[in-house]
Amino acid sequence: PGQVLRVCADAMAERARLGNLEPARLKFWPAYAEALARTGQLIEAEAALHEYECAAQARGRKSALAAASKARGILDVAAGRHRDAAAAFTAGLRHLAGLPLPLDEALIRLEFGRLLRHLGQRRSAARELGRARSLLVGLGAAPFLRRCDAELGAGLVPEPGMGAGGCAGAESGLPLTPRQ
């Protein structure tokens, strides 16, 4: 998060001008809000995210709405609003339905799975994390795959065919983790 904050700070200083641009092309904006939330700067995250949400809604871009929903979920988790976070992640997945954005879907599912695991909803967490893992394996997204595997390593077993438990790694030729 610290690196994202440093990189995005200058661009965010110009956000009054950025508000007129296509929000789907401003991927750094929700990432900036996420980084603020993850570092405990909730008021700043809320302000930055609200502007992006308004721009995304005004343009009606599903990919931007999904990015805003993911950032909203992360902010809600940081603020302890777990029900709101779950609703935000669910909305993000709904916005992505039918769009060819598997990484975006995987990252929302990863965050949603983390929340569900934290809430003790192990079966739902395993399902979301397994789906995230399956997408990440297909993309070869190793850094995110490691995060997903760390969450699954917390004693969760995804449904068959959904990642670690379904041996998706073996099918794709990628090595299995020690837990698998």
Side-chain angles (χ1 to χ4, degrees), residues 26-37:
L26 302 172
K27 291 282 191 173
F28 71 88
W29 196 326
Y32 179 71
E34 290 174 22
L36 288 168

Side-chain angles (χ1 to χ4, degrees), residues 42-113:
L42 304 185
I43 294 170
E44 296 86 349
E46 179 65 47
L49 181 55
H50 179 73
E51 289 181 56
Y52 185 81
E53 287 171 324
C54 289
Q57 281 196 313
R59 296 284 179 110
R61 299 292 188 261
K62 289 183 177 185
S63 62
L65 290 166
S69 293
K70 177 177 163 251
R72 172 61 59 192
I74 290 168
L75 174 57
D76 287 340
V77 167
R81 298 184 298 255
H82 298 135
R83 270 196 197 135
D84 293 342
F89 294 137
T90 300
L93 292 171
R94 205 171 36 251
H95 292 306
L96 287 176
L99 296 179
L101 299 171
L103 181 60
D104 293 17
E105 179 184 346
L107 296 180
I108 290 174
R109 290 189 184 283
L110 174 56
E111 293 297 334
F112 195 15

Side-chain angles (χ1 to χ4, degrees), residues 87-171:
F89 294 137
T90 300
L93 292 171
R94 205 171 36 251
H95 292 306
L96 287 176
L99 296 179
L101 299 171
L103 181 60
D104 293 17
E105 179 184 346
L107 296 180
I108 290 174
R109 290 189 184 283
L110 174 56
E111 293 297 334
F112 195 15
R114 291 177 72 192
L115 170 64
L116 293 168
R117 186 181 65 76
H118 172 77
L119 295 176
Q121 297 178 24
R122 297 173 57 78
R123 180 172 287 179
S124 296
R127 182 181 59 247
E128 292 303 327
L129 292 167
R131 288 177 178 165
R133 187 177 197 290
S134 181
L135 290 165
L136 293 169
V137 165
L139 295 168
F144 299 116
L145 187 56
R146 284 191 292 275
R147 288 186 201 168
C148 193
D149 284 344
E151 291 296 325
L152 285 166
L156 301 178
V157 178
E159 296 173 1
M162 287 294 157
C167 298
E171 293 168 11

